[in-house]
Amino acid sequence: MSTPALYRRVVRRETHSSRSTSAITLAVVLIVVLAWLGTESVLAALGQAPLLVAPSDAAAAVLGAASAPAGILTAGAIVVALIGLVLVILAISPGRRGRRSASIDRTAAVIDDRVIARSLARTASYAGEVDPSQVSVSVGKRRAVVEIAPTSGRRGDRAAVDEAVRRELASYDYSPALRHTVKIAAKGKVRS
């Protein structure tokens, strides 16, 4: 395997989460259900009392479900459809970790979103002339939101913070790139 291909594979593995947790959970649930059904069948064949429901009673209940009230059938169908929808979404959607890849030719580099958030918070704190505890940054897949609570009695300079954050993001070379939004709270915070 060539080095660039290996780097792409390593970066992909580090920036996307695996489906093993959901697959293992689903497998364990299916194993428990099938073990229970097997146990109930063996107990019924031996003439013993069932643990929860005898297989013949369960089959009769499933076959007689058509005569149940429409509300109960609709609620059951909605629950089954939601479970199916969640499983389909888990299977199709790419699992993304809070990390980004840097475009460096000679190595594989991955940057955690928390590091980016701290860097943007520090930059916004300096540009807005506020304490770092008055800055909150959240980094999503494509957007960073910088929220500043200005010191009480002072107005925050949104343009200065916006420009400083823009320059900071432009200095990074990672993918996917981030756009940003700067929000300054209407109420100030007393500086301690």
Side-chain angles (χ1 to χ4, degrees):
M1 182 178 284
S2 70
T3 304
L6 177 65
Y7 289 159
R8 281 193 304 273
R9 184 174 175 202
V10 168
V11 167
R12 168 90 178 148
R13 186 170 283 178
E14 287 298 319
T15 57
H16 292 77
S17 62
S18 71
R19 299 287 183 255
S20 60
T21 304
S22 56
I24 290 170
T25 303
L26 184 60
V28 167
V29 168
L30 288 175
I31 288 170
V32 167
V33 168
L34 292 175
W36 171 71
L37 287 173
T39 304
E40 292 292 0
S41 298
V42 168
L43 288 176
L46 295 175
Q48 300 291 323
L51 292 174
L52 296 175
V53 177
S56 59
D57 294 341
V62 169
L63 293 174
S67 63
I72 293 175
L73 287 177
T74 304
I78 289 172
V79 168
V80 169
L82 287 176
I83 291 171
L85 182 65
V86 166
L87 291 175
V88 167
I89 288 172
L90 278 174
I92 293 175
S93 67
R96 183 186 170 282
R97 292 181 180 175
R99 299 177 183 162
R100 295 169 195 286
S101 64
S103 59
I104 301 172
D105 294 333
R106 296 178 14 201
T107 187
V110 177
I111 298 111
D112 195 86
D113 283 351
R114 291 175 293 187
V115 173
I116 295 169
R118 286 186 188 130
S119 173
L120 293 178
R122 186 188 69 236
T123 300
S125 169
Y126 290 143
E129 298 176 355
V130 295
D131 191 67
S133 66
Q134 294 172 245
V135 180
S136 171
V137 179
S138 62
V139 177
K141 184 175 182 180
R142 301 256 181 219
R143 179 164 296 279
V145 178
V146 179
E147 297 175 352
I148 299 176
T151 303
S152 189
R154 296 179 64 187
R155 290 187 51 102
D157 186 3
R158 186 182 180 286
V161 173
D162 188 60
E163 182 57 33
V165 171
R166 183 181 322 284
R167 278 194 317 265
E168 182 77 15
L169 286 174
S171 70
Y172 299 149
D173 189 21
Y174 50 71
S175 134
L178 286 172
R179 293 186 313 264
H180 73 283
T181 303
V182 175
K183 298 178 181 177
I184 297 186
K187 293 184 178 183
K189 187 175 185 181
V190 176
R191 192 173 198 172
S192 52

